[in-house]
Amino acid sequence: MKLALAFVRNKSGAAAAEMVLVTPLLMILIFGAFEAGNFFWNEHIVIKAVRDGARFAGRQSFAKYSCAAITDAAIETQIKNMTRTGQTTGGTARVAGWTDTQVSISVSCNATTTQGIYTNHAGGAPVVTVSTTLPYTPFFGTLGFDTSGLNLTASAQSAVMGI
């Protein structure tokens, strides 16, 4: 009985036992925070990239657009490349694995805007929408963080103010 009471009162290994119990939780929190930070950083990059692509598209000539589509295939390629890489030709993707097929461009016309630079443009002001959805590539994917359902999605619009 005396031995059992001495064992219960002994506190010499309590800190080590608590550390063993808390360490896995701390590791999950640390790696989870890094993974969340990486996700938000990649999302920020994609949002800014889509905005750059829409701005570039908005500065092209009116002749490059109809109210339904882009009439110049070379400009469409340049817009997609600008969105992905920040350059009209060449460059490397801002986010690993991002391809041109994941960038979509659509054109519509705002028929209520027919004044100013849009006076002679049939259908009103052309508006270009650049959007993308790409799967998130995890930072610690090999550690078992399942991010298969996470996508990076962004969309931006710009009115064409071309020549």
Side-chain angles (χ1 to χ4, degrees):
M1 181 72 167
K2 203 173 195 185
L3 183 63
L5 190 58
F7 180 73
V8 171
R9 290 185 182 160
N10 186 357
K11 306 239 186 240
S12 62
E18 289 172 2
M19 188 64 180
V20 167
L21 293 173
V22 172
T23 299
L25 179 63
L26 289 175
M27 296 303 286
I28 289 170
L29 286 173
I30 289 169
F31 286 118
F34 277 115
E35 194 67 58
N38 188 51
F39 175 81
F40 290 124
W41 175 248
N42 282 325
E43 184 181 45
H44 175 76
I45 291 170
V46 169
I47 289 169
K48 298 293 184 185
V50 167
R51 190 178 303 160
D52 287 347
R55 281 188 194 138
F56 177 75
R59 292 189 176 143
Q60 302 305 311
S61 170
F62 288 126
K64 310 274 184 192
Y65 303 100
S66 71
C67 281
I70 298 173
T71 58
D72 186 347
I75 289 298
E76 182 174 3
T77 302
Q78 287 180 353
I79 293 168
K80 287 181 177 186
N81 204 55
M82 173 62 76
T83 303
R84 280 187 333 98
T85 67
Q87 301 174 12
T88 55
T89 58
T92 58
R94 297 177 190 192
V95 175
W98 197 2
T99 63
D100 279 350
T101 59
Q102 294 166 325
V103 178
S104 63
I105 305 165
S106 62
V107 182
S108 62
C109 282
N110 184 349
T112 61
T113 307
T114 57
Q115 299 174 359
I117 62 173
Y118 304 112
T119 302
N120 296 328
H121 198 272
V127 177
V128 180
T129 303
V130 179
S131 57
T132 188
T133 299
L134 62 141
Y136 170 66
T137 304
F139 194 63
F140 293 114
T142 57
L143 295 178
F145 284 94
D146 182 22
T147 59
S148 58
L150 291 178
N151 290 320
L152 302 168
T153 304
S155 181
Q157 288 185 329
S158 180
V160 176
M161 297 182 213
I163 303 166

